[in-house]
Amino acid sequence: MRIRVLAFARLRELLGAPEITLELPEGARVVDAWSALAQGCSELDEQRASTRAARNGNLVAFEEPLADGDELAILPPVGGG
Amino acid sequence: MRIRVLAFARLRELLGAPEITLELPEGARVVDAWSALAQGCSELDEQRASTRAARNGNLVAFEEPLADGDELAILPPVGGG
Amino acid sequence: MFRIVREAIEPAALESAVRSGDGGAVTFVGIVRSRADDGRPVTGLSYEAFEPMAIREFRIIAAEARERFGDVAIAIVHRIGELRVGEIAVAVMASAVHRGEAFDACRYAIDEVKRRAPIWKEERYTDGTASWRANPSGDLGGSAAGGRGGAEHRSAG
Amino acid sequence: MFRIVREAIEPAALESAVRSGDGGAVTFVGIVRSRADDGRPVTGLSYEAFEPMAIREFRIIAAEARERFGDVAIAIVHRIGELRVGEIAVAVMASAVHRGEAFDACRYAIDEVKRRAPIWKEERYTDGTASWRANPSGDLGGSAAGGRGGAEHRSAG
């Protein structure tokens, strides 16, 4: 399946792009998408503990299953206001 | 001695003027000024319990002595804001 | 900025009191409501003030807020005269480095203005009558001779 | 009114959300400070947002405020892009029949915006460096995988 990943702030900088497309095997979860992104980028992987994931605009756990066409946003701690 | 009395809101209406001058004997206190004002106006006198007095801009008790040239403001409960 | 004004209040004008280091500003505006607390429809309000004492009271309230909440900037502007429904009667602005102090100081200042600033309002009703309305807290900061708030003093109409 | 904007915020614009029966409106504005929390001099901030989710979060926060504090009207506007010191980053307005609810709802709304709206800021320092700054509360409403706020992530500069 194919998902669209949106990254923000420090995570966007570490990923090198605000948006990338991932090809993942059927049955993949958020954690698998993260592993694919973090592969070869230890600095990104270090952010795992503070990163939240939003699937199609809703916060989800890293164990959440993904589906073809999903939008997955990876969100560092926020600093609005 | 001569004092200037300022009255506000409902007290101004009952007194019939925003400002009047009173002649009082030496040694007069706020309560004496009030009695002079309320003489013959029972509706004004009924407001006594809720009225505060300010002598030259400072809140004072009704027992406060007055002096020639004082400005005495009589203040009903406030309703600003 | 501590003022009694006769013209419309522009809340944005109070922002001039914000200092360069402040990170948060809280502004309260009190608006003339279309109904009295007892539900009677209102056409407008008439405010009057003992102006020099009111302005001095605004300054004292601001100084108290700084004692209680630290380094806050405060502005208080109250309008007097005839106001229509929807118009702004009072605006209070408090700013500080952090928002907590600004919220606390703004709340304190408007509560104290309503309690003890020498300002009075007369409600004007759609039936042509009017009455002076005190605030529930409006005893001018304590009873000298048994003060009492929230009373209604019906005037001639 | 729930918006992410790129141009200067005019707090007066939020007053359009006040309803005819409201007697009090409380507006918070967050202003870019000249110093970071650690004292470093700042030339400005850069904000970015996950816009559709941020606006949805604003609406949810407003609905929660109505559940908690009763019949309040709320407006939330956050600016993104490059901001200079002294400019307004966020404005939150809450209005109600009485001021207590307006104060409580405004405070709740800005606290929650800082805690969980998907908005990020990068501080730009006078020495040419920059770093992403999370709010102490900015864990997006709870940790999925051990969230942690207040961290600094120094970026390239």
Side-chain angles (χ1 to χ4, degrees):
Chain A
M1 63 176 155
R2 177 174 294 190
I3 67 162
R4 199 158 60 98
V5 175
L6 307 181
F8 295 91
R10 181 66 175 148
L11 299 182
R12 169 178 55 71
E13 292 177 345
L14 290 170
L15 201 62
E19 179 175 339
I20 68 169
T21 300
L22 278 184
E23 288 283 349
L24 296 169
E26 289 308 306
R29 297 166 185 269
V30 171
V31 65
D32 301 311
W34 178 267
S35 298
L37 295 168
Q39 201 174 21
C41 179
S42 64
E43 270 200 285
L44 180 60
D45 210 29
E46 285 165 14
Q47 305 303 321
R48 161 80 190 271
S50 65
T51 296
R52 302 292 309 273
R55 181 188 172 212
N56 301 324
N58 299 301
L59 287 178
V60 293
F62 271 50
E63 293 311 307
E64 176 87 358
L66 294 168
D68 187 52
D70 275 355
E71 173 200 86
L72 174 66
I74 55 173
L75 313 172
V78 298
Chain B
M1 64 176 154
R2 179 175 291 192
I3 68 162
R4 201 159 59 99
V5 176
L6 307 181
F8 295 92
R10 181 63 174 149
L11 300 182
R12 171 178 53 71
E13 292 178 345
L14 289 170
L15 201 63
E19 179 175 339
I20 68 168
T21 301
L22 278 184
E23 288 283 352
L24 295 170
E26 289 308 305
R29 297 165 185 269
V30 171
V31 65
D32 301 310
W34 179 267
S35 297
L37 296 168
Q39 201 174 21
C41 181
S42 63
E43 270 199 284
L44 181 59
D45 210 30
E46 285 164 14
Q47 305 303 321
R48 160 83 189 270
S50 64
T51 295
R52 300 293 309 273
R55 181 189 170 210
N56 301 325
N58 299 301
L59 288 178
V60 293
F62 271 50
E63 293 311 309
E64 176 87 358
L66 294 169
D68 188 52
D70 274 357
E71 174 200 86
L72 175 67
I74 54 173
L75 314 172
V78 298
Chain C
M1 180 190 289
F2 303 100
R3 287 191 193 149
I4 300 286
V5 299
R6 280 159 187 77
E7 62 282 2
I9 293 174
E10 293 291 341
L14 281 75
E15 289 172 27
S16 64
V18 176
R19 303 157 305 178
S20 67
D22 290 342
V26 176
T27 303
F28 171 81
V29 297
I31 304 158
V32 178
R33 286 190 287 145
S34 54
R35 288 187 178 275
D37 279 332
D38 60 12
R40 270 190 284 181
V42 161
T43 60
L45 299 179
S46 176
Y47 283 95
E48 70 180 72
F50 183 14
E51 294 189 44
M53 191 178 166
I55 287 171
R56 209 187 50 175
E57 207 65 35
F58 292 169
R59 292 185 189 281
I60 293 170
I61 290 166
E64 289 173 359
R66 282 189 292 273
E67 274 172 33
R68 285 170 182 246
F69 308 112
D71 186 26
V72 294
I74 295 193
I76 304 174
V77 179
H78 203 298
R79 185 174 170 189
I80 58 172
E82 302 292 323
L83 275 74
R84 291 185 304 256
V85 169
E87 292 191 307
I88 295 173
V90 61
V92 175
M93 192 288 301
S95 63
V97 174
H98 294 113
R99 69 188 182 286
E101 293 79 357
F103 271 103
D104 290 344
C106 186
R107 181 75 193 262
Y108 178 79
I110 182 61
D111 285 355
E112 291 302 301
V113 165
K114 292 177 82 89
R115 192 168 75 90
R116 59 186 163 111
I119 301 170
W120 298 270
K121 72 164 165 282
E122 190 178 41
E123 289 178 347
R124 303 191 180 285
Y125 307 108
T126 50
D127 65 4
T129 61
S131 71
W132 293 97
R133 278 284 174 182
N135 295 325
S137 63
D139 63 1
L140 278 149
S143 57
R148 157 180 62 96
E152 173 178 343
H153 304 274
R154 177 169 285 261
S155 56
Chain D
M1 179 191 291
F2 302 101
R3 286 190 194 149
I4 300 285
V5 299
R6 280 161 187 76
E7 63 282 3
I9 293 175
E10 292 292 340
L14 280 74
E15 289 172 26
S16 65
V18 176
R19 304 155 305 176
S20 66
D22 291 342
V26 175
T27 303
F28 171 81
V29 297
I31 305 160
V32 178
R33 285 190 287 144
S34 54
R35 288 187 178 275
D37 279 332
D38 60 12
R40 268 189 286 181
V42 162
T43 60
L45 299 179
S46 176
Y47 283 94
E48 70 179 73
F50 184 13
E51 293 190 43
M53 192 178 166
I55 288 170
R56 209 186 52 174
E57 207 65 36
F58 293 168
R59 292 185 189 282
I60 292 170
I61 290 166
E64 289 173 359
R66 283 189 291 274
E67 275 172 32
R68 285 170 182 245
F69 307 111
D71 186 26
V72 294
I74 294 192
I76 304 173
V77 179
H78 203 298
R79 185 174 169 188
I80 58 172
E82 301 292 326
L83 275 73
R84 291 185 303 256
V85 169
E87 292 191 308
I88 295 174
V90 61
V92 175
M93 193 289 300
S95 63
V97 173
H98 295 112
R99 68 188 182 286
E101 292 80 356
F103 271 103
D104 290 344
C106 186
R107 180 77 194 259
Y108 178 79
I110 182 60
D111 285 354
E112 291 302 302
V113 165
K114 291 177 84 87
R115 194 167 74 91
R116 58 186 163 110
I119 301 171
W120 299 269
K121 71 164 166 282
E122 190 179 39
E123 289 178 347
R124 303 192 180 285
Y125 307 108
T126 50
D127 65 3
T129 61
S131 71
W132 292 97
R133 277 285 174 183
N135 295 324
S137 63
D139 63 1
L140 278 150
S143 58
R148 158 180 62 97
E152 171 178 344
H153 304 277
R154 178 169 284 259
S155 56

